[in-house]
Amino acid sequence: MASEKRALSPTLLFSLGLLALSAFNYGLSDQAFSSCQAMDSFIHTFGKYEASEGKWAIPALDSSLYNSLKAGGQIIGVFIGSWVSNRWGRRMCIFSMSIYALGSASVVVSSTTQAQLQTARTLHYIYLGMQLAVIPTFLTELAPAKNRGGMGVIYWLSIKAGGLFITGIARKTKYFTSNAAWRIPFGLILVIPFVVACLVWFIPESARWYLLRDRQDDALKSLTRLKPKHTPEEVIQEEYIVLSGKVAEQLQKRSFRDLFTPQNRKRTFVVTVSNFFQQATGQAFASQYGTVFVKELNSVNPFSVTLGTNAVDIGAIIIAASLIDVVGRRILFHTSSILQTAALMTMGGLGTADSSNTHAKEGIVAMLLLFSFSWSLGWAPLVYVLGAELPSSPLREMTLQIAYTVKLITEFTVTFTYPYMETADTPHHVDLGGKLGFIYGSLSALAFVFSWFCIPETNRMEIEDIDREFDLDAKFKDIEEQKEEHTTVTELRN
């Protein structure tokens, strides 16, 4: 019992802090790209002059590509990151992606044409895809079982903190008349990868990663480094023996086909569909186009709303981190879905009001904030926790490759189609405006049904114990199926 109450070691805290810092840059990058597209100097540099309206604007196709092509870069990054992480370790993946980010961000900052910016941004998202492949998994592998949920949520908390930070910067620089308005936020993307690349070798590699490669001595050293200095050696040895015994049971399950065995197919399904619903409910619309959407409403300062959105997101994530290891995962998924559905359906209803109704516009903005809060309370951070702890350890990279590909394709679909549905710039556009809430709200209601019937509770379970639980379920089903077959054969004979 004493070991359960023992404080986290400085090495573990430093490791978690560095991983959180890397995730911070994810939010910084993503929100910098999102916020800057509403700046006048950005539009003047990368947009086109509309003579009929007498102003500069970014065409819908360019806007769609700007916000959706990133999904292709992220998918490539997920596969590269999984491969590097699996072959050379989590630290090598983090080091290589940070070095890569220094190059890609430099090209982004120096862009002068729409084509150059589109290409550079897409290439930069390879870095963010690699981060998606390694950071949530590494956080989960380092964390003790009783803290794993909360530490998994740290990933999304760090992303939102980065978004809040850069939105505050963008809110100040948007008044600059020169290209410094958007180059300053883009330039800040370079800082954190440099710091992370310098410090990543001071944190230990995952003990589970070593054990899955039969590197017993390295695993023990890693586990020892992560424990407080005065932890008794026998306590570390006991934990090491238990961990190595559990991991040893999984060493044979390494082929792609194993994702669909009775022991794993439900896990593959749950993780993949969870990633679909995380994006299908419209978060890309809120995060990528939130600033532009509010600007089109002509009701309140769009940068202030984006700043407020990131602030309420952080509040929701802190609540989630505080509750996830107390009430469990399922209740947060359910609460998040219910609040999302209510916010989106209300937004859809307000979208049916007359376009000159200022109160309806303000209500839509309020519902956008409520949606963002509810999404960050559950679906945003918990899907990463689920993806890191639910798959079998040797199959985790392959499971996440499938799940993140589905996630990013869904995100691409939402971001690419949004400009054509929200406005009526051409006869081919749908002009739904706030009524988009009806579409995303319906999908959010389906997400609630899915979470209720399909997502299991994994609170306070060791990762390897989750494997054993699914193995027992699969064996029980096999026994039941054999009994049914035997009964059927007996009946036919009689």
Side-chain angles (χ1 to χ4, degrees):
M1 289 296 292
S3 61
E4 283 293 314
K5 298 178 180 179
R6 197 178 300 276
L8 301 180
S9 71
T11 301
L12 178 56
L13 290 173
F14 175 75
S15 301
L16 296 174
L18 190 66
L19 297 180
L21 182 65
S22 185
F24 182 93
N25 206 50
Y26 187 118
L28 191 155
S29 300
D30 200 44
Q31 202 60 54
F33 291 129
S34 175
S35 296
C36 288
Q37 64 183 317
M39 293 179 176
D40 292 336
S41 60
F42 182 92
I43 295 171
H44 191 275
T45 302
F46 300 110
K48 295 180 180 178
Y49 184 73
E50 302 289 347
S52 59
E53 298 185 15
K55 66 177 184 179
W56 288 82
I58 297 178
L61 178 59
D62 289 345
S63 179
S64 292
L65 292 174
Y66 177 80
N67 289 289
S68 59
L69 281 180
K70 66 172 192 173
Q74 272 191 289
I75 290 173
I76 294 171
V78 165
F79 279 83
I80 293 175
S82 296
W83 179 67
V84 174
S85 176
N86 186 55
R87 181 156 187 171
W88 286 294
R90 317 312 189 201
R91 293 182 302 175
M92 177 56 78
C93 182
I94 294 170
F95 175 77
S96 59
M97 75 186 191
S98 298
I99 296 298
Y100 174 85
L102 295 175
S104 61
S106 298
V107 180
V108 169
V109 175
S110 61
S111 296
T112 56
T113 65
Q114 179 69 238
Q116 185 181 5
L117 179 65
Q118 294 276 29
T119 303
R121 185 180 190 234
T122 302
L123 291 174
H124 183 72
Y125 269 88
I126 292 177
Y127 154 67
L128 299 182
M130 293 177 71
Q131 197 180 106
L132 189 62
V134 68
I135 299 295
T137 297
F138 203 3
L139 278 168
T140 301
E141 289 180 338
L142 292 180
K146 64 187 180 72
N147 305 117
R148 194 176 64 240
M151 290 186 179
V153 172
I154 285 175
Y155 175 68
W156 192 248
L157 177 61
S158 301
I159 289 176
K160 281 299 176 180
L164 178 64
F165 169 78
I166 202 63
T167 302
I169 298 295
R171 191 174 185 274
K172 295 293 184 183
T173 64
K174 77 183 181 76
Y175 296 107
F176 296 176
T177 55
S178 68
N179 284 337
W182 54 270
R183 279 195 167 129
I184 289 173
F186 286 172
L188 291 173
I189 297 172
L190 290 160
V191 177
I192 292 176
F194 176 79
V195 175
V196 172
C198 293
L199 298 179
V200 69
W201 300 110
F202 291 95
I203 68 176
E205 183 58 82
S206 163
R208 283 185 175 88
W209 185 84
Y210 281 133
L211 286 171
L212 286 168
R213 283 139 194 90
D214 201 25
R215 295 171 60 175
Q216 308 287 334
D217 292 340
D218 290 329
L220 181 58
K221 290 177 184 176
S222 175
L223 195 61
T224 302
R225 286 186 62 191
L226 292 170
K227 295 299 178 185
K229 186 175 181 181
H230 300 294
T231 303
E233 186 176 344
E234 59 270 19
V235 172
I236 298 175
Q237 282 289 345
E238 182 182 352
E239 184 172 337
Y240 167 75
I241 291 170
V242 172
L243 180 62
S244 59
K246 291 176 178 178
V247 171
E249 297 174 5
Q250 307 169 357
L251 288 175
Q252 304 304 316
K253 305 175 185 178
R254 289 182 177 273
S255 71
F256 184 81
R257 289 185 305 171
D258 287 321
L259 291 174
F260 306 101
T261 60
Q263 293 88 345
N264 293 306
R265 61 191 174 206
K266 181 180 178 181
R267 288 189 274 187
T268 304
F269 171 77
V270 170
V271 173
T272 302
V273 177
S274 296
N275 275 270
F276 166 77
F277 277 121
Q278 188 200 50
Q279 300 300 316
T281 53
Q283 81 79 22
F285 142 72
S287 64
Q288 297 302 314
Y289 292 106
T291 309
V292 176
F293 177 76
V294 176
K295 186 178 182 181
E296 292 293 328
L297 293 176
N298 294 316
S299 57
V300 292
N301 186 322
F303 287 91
S304 296
V305 172
T306 304
L307 201 63
T309 300
N310 281 282
V312 300
D313 285 348
I314 288 176
I317 296 164
I318 291 172
I319 294 172
S322 303
L323 295 178
I324 185 172
D325 291 315
V326 179
V327 302
R329 283 72 163 140
R330 282 172 54 84
I331 188 65
L332 290 176
F333 270 115
H334 302 338
T335 305
S336 176
S337 297
I338 292 170
L339 290 175
Q340 278 186 118
T341 303
L344 290 166
M345 288 301 188
T346 304
M347 181 189 294
L350 292 170
T352 62
D354 187 89
S355 59
S356 62
N357 190 325
T358 304
H359 295 301
K361 291 180 179 180
E362 292 172 350
I364 290 174
V365 172
M367 290 303 103
L368 187 66
L369 290 170
L370 177 59
F371 164 74
S372 195
F373 173 86
S374 56
W375 187 70
S376 293
L377 183 66
W379 281 93
L382 268 59
V383 166
Y384 297 112
V385 175
L386 201 67
E389 66 184 12
L390 197 59
S392 174
S393 296
L395 300 175
R396 185 173 294 116
E397 280 81 8
M398 286 185 283
T399 304
L400 293 180
Q401 283 172 0
I402 295 173
Y404 288 156
T405 298
V406 169
K407 160 194 164 72
L408 294 169
I409 289 174
T410 307
E411 183 180 354
F412 169 83
T413 303
V414 172
T415 52
F416 186 81
T417 57
Y418 168 78
Y420 297 95
M421 294 193 296
E422 196 273 329
T423 61
D425 294 337
T426 74
H428 302 291
H429 293 194
V430 182
D431 191 24
L432 291 178
K435 292 189 288 292
L436 280 167
F438 288 135
I439 297 175
Y440 301 135
S442 299
L443 289 166
S444 185
L446 290 177
F448 171 77
V449 175
F450 168 76
S451 68
W452 184 272
F453 289 103
C454 298
I455 294 179
E457 184 58 74
T458 54
N459 188 26
R460 294 181 177 269
M461 294 176 67
E462 288 285 0
I463 294 174
E464 292 72 27
D465 291 332
I466 297 172
D467 285 322
R468 186 174 289 106
E469 190 79 18
F470 277 91
D471 286 344
L472 289 173
D473 286 345
K475 289 175 182 177
F476 178 76
K477 288 179 180 178
D478 286 341
I479 292 170
E480 290 296 312
E481 288 174 2
Q482 289 173 11
K483 284 182 178 178
E484 288 178 8
E485 282 184 24
H486 178 72
T487 302
T488 304
V489 171
T490 303
E491 290 174 351
L492 288 172
R493 285 176 177 173
N494 293 334

